[in-house]
Amino acid sequence: NDKIGKGNIDGDFDSSTNHVAIIRKHPDGTVLSEEDVPDLVTMMGELAASSYSNNYQLRALIVATWFADGRPGEGKFFNMRTWKYDSGQNCLSGSWKDIKNCTEKKATMCNDHEHWETDPFDAFGDFWSTTNGLVRQAVGGRMGLKSKFAFPMCQKYTDKWTAGIISSTLRLLVPACQRRNVTGKSIRYGATTKLHEHEDITHPELLAVGGWAAADNSSHYTLDNIAMHMRPMRALAGYHNVKKAHVPPTLGAIGEGALPQMETLADKLYLCNLEEFKRGGHLRPLLRIVLATNIKNFNTKLASLGPDNVAVARLVQVAGGCGITLQRLKE
């Protein structure tokens, strides 16, 4: 494999722990025993269905860490001040802090190819709608320095706390016999392994996503190039052809006449006091994609989570207040 040995890609190896790599999805037809570690799709579905404290924010944090191919504590520093929605590449990009090397790299995210459980936009939508995740506390009439971090629950604690809460959450979702082998690093092990094994991902692309330094220092010139992230991003999202541009769900598919109603639904579903996400803000296109994703996945989530699930019930309630019936959501 020509991806091995050309850069420092083993800096996270810990011989004291037999880390199990968590993969996005086991191949169809895979028969798992009750002692096997489930895939990320299964685990995030169980997390969404659970009553764990902060379960929706945790799901968004874990899925973001997967797409960033990041270390488990780094999500604490994912700052929405750096976010951009690229309508050409159909992805969210932002700066991801590399704690170990005291640098920053780019993290990119797009819709999952087929599973709502590991879709970052579905995860952010559930987090924002169920816990007012886009409402931030102002201090003296002004937003504080920490107001734009994506995951508010992490801001009172250290990055080690963030790594710990990811590890403890994942361990709740695996068999007891595997818990000592599963940590937050299992996400990075799984994402990196996926990119290593993919025949259409080049070594420079792997380094750019993982944040490792190339032996020839070329990564200094490629880390912030969004084009270097497109094929790895699609691979982590489960697309079969990573060379082909992906197409996200859009509110336009509902019908042009419904767009004003959809804008009202976005305002009421994702309560927000951050100007970037309001109408005319540069992250409003992201909010529209998030809403389109939540609506697209509604039927599947209703069937798998049930009508009493907090995120499902919240969408039904707010949509009803906007004159959108349950039957129309299903359609």
Side-chain angles (χ1 to χ4, degrees):
N1 189 328
D2 62 0
K3 297 179 188 175
I4 297 176
K6 291 188 177 180
N8 179 21
I9 59 174
D10 296 316
D12 298 314
F13 181 73
D14 181 359
S15 61
S16 65
T17 303
N18 182 26
H19 284 288
V20 172
I22 294 176
I23 66 173
R24 171 185 166 274
K25 184 73 174 68
H26 290 299
D28 291 341
T30 300
V31 179
L32 300 178
S33 73
E34 61 183 18
E35 294 82 21
D36 290 325
V37 173
D39 53 42
L40 191 62
V41 168
T42 300
M43 296 169 76
M44 293 302 96
E46 290 185 9
L47 184 57
S50 75
S51 58
Y52 298 155
S53 178
N54 292 314
N55 63 323
Y56 294 110
Q57 189 170 175
L58 280 166
R59 177 181 158 224
L61 171 62
I62 292 170
V63 171
T65 301
W66 166 264
F67 272 88
D69 194 4
R71 299 177 185 86
E74 294 171 345
K76 167 184 167 68
F77 304 103
F78 198 30
N79 195 329
M80 294 187 293
R81 293 179 190 275
T82 70
W83 284 17
K84 296 179 182 178
Y85 185 76
D86 190 319
S87 298
Q89 299 286 3
N90 296 318
C91 70
L92 167 67
S93 68
S95 294
W96 187 273
K97 187 170 182 178
D98 183 332
I99 296 174
K100 184 173 183 178
N101 299 306
C102 298
T103 59
E104 289 188 350
K105 64 175 184 177
K106 190 177 293 295
T108 58
M109 304 171 194
C110 67
N111 286 106
D112 189 278
H113 174 53
E114 55 189 343
H115 294 287
W116 64 266
E117 296 92 335
T118 45
D119 190 310
F121 299 151
D122 190 90
F124 276 120
D126 283 357
F127 162 39
W128 294 341
S129 70
T130 59
T131 64
N132 293 340
L134 288 178
V135 176
R136 302 303 167 87
Q137 185 175 1
V139 179
R142 300 178 62 182
M143 291 294 179
L145 293 175
K146 295 182 178 181
S147 64
K148 299 297 178 67
F149 285 110
F151 305 108
M153 69 178 181
C154 302
Q155 302 315 309
K156 294 181 180 180
Y157 308 101
T158 66
D159 56 281
K160 289 185 178 180
W161 181 91
T162 301
I165 196 66
I166 291 179
S167 295
S168 62
T169 301
L170 295 175
R171 285 170 174 160
L172 289 172
L173 300 169
V174 302
C177 63
Q178 293 284 3
R179 287 174 184 166
R180 66 181 300 273
N181 299 323
V182 171
T183 72
K185 286 185 179 180
S186 297
I187 300 294
R188 185 162 164 91
Y189 274 67
T192 301
T193 300
K194 172 67 177 178
L195 299 182
H196 259 297
E197 294 177 342
H198 203 292
E199 62 181 5
D200 292 323
I201 306 302
T202 67
H203 187 68
E205 288 171 333
L206 172 68
L207 296 183
V209 174
W212 295 287
D216 59 4
N217 201 38
S218 60
S219 57
H220 174 75
Y221 301 95
T222 60
L223 279 178
D224 284 337
N225 186 341
I226 195 171
M228 297 291 290
H229 291 254
M230 291 300 97
R231 293 195 295 187
M233 176 188 70
R234 294 182 191 120
L236 294 175
Y239 288 89
H240 303 299
N241 183 358
V242 300
K243 298 178 182 179
K244 183 179 179 180
H246 59 281
V247 180
T250 64
L251 295 175
I254 300 173
E256 293 297 323
L259 290 181
Q261 193 176 35
M262 291 297 108
E263 291 288 346
T264 300
L265 176 58
D267 289 335
K268 294 186 176 182
L269 184 62
Y270 314 116
L271 297 180
C272 176
N273 62 350
L274 301 175
E275 294 299 324
E276 298 91 331
F277 291 91
K278 294 182 179 181
R279 301 187 197 194
H282 76 277
L283 290 177
R284 187 68 178 195
L286 170 62
L287 202 67
R288 295 184 183 112
I289 294 296
V290 166
L291 177 58
T293 301
N294 278 161
I295 293 175
K296 168 182 173 286
N297 293 328
F298 175 76
N299 277 340
T300 306
K301 292 165 73 174
L302 178 63
S304 60
L305 300 176
D308 294 330
N309 175 265
V310 176
V312 172
R314 166 77 175 160
L315 178 54
V316 172
Q317 177 190 23
V318 177
C322 296
I324 302 170
T325 64
L326 175 62
Q327 183 59 37
R328 188 174 172 198
L329 278 177
K330 289 181 177 180
E331 294 170 352

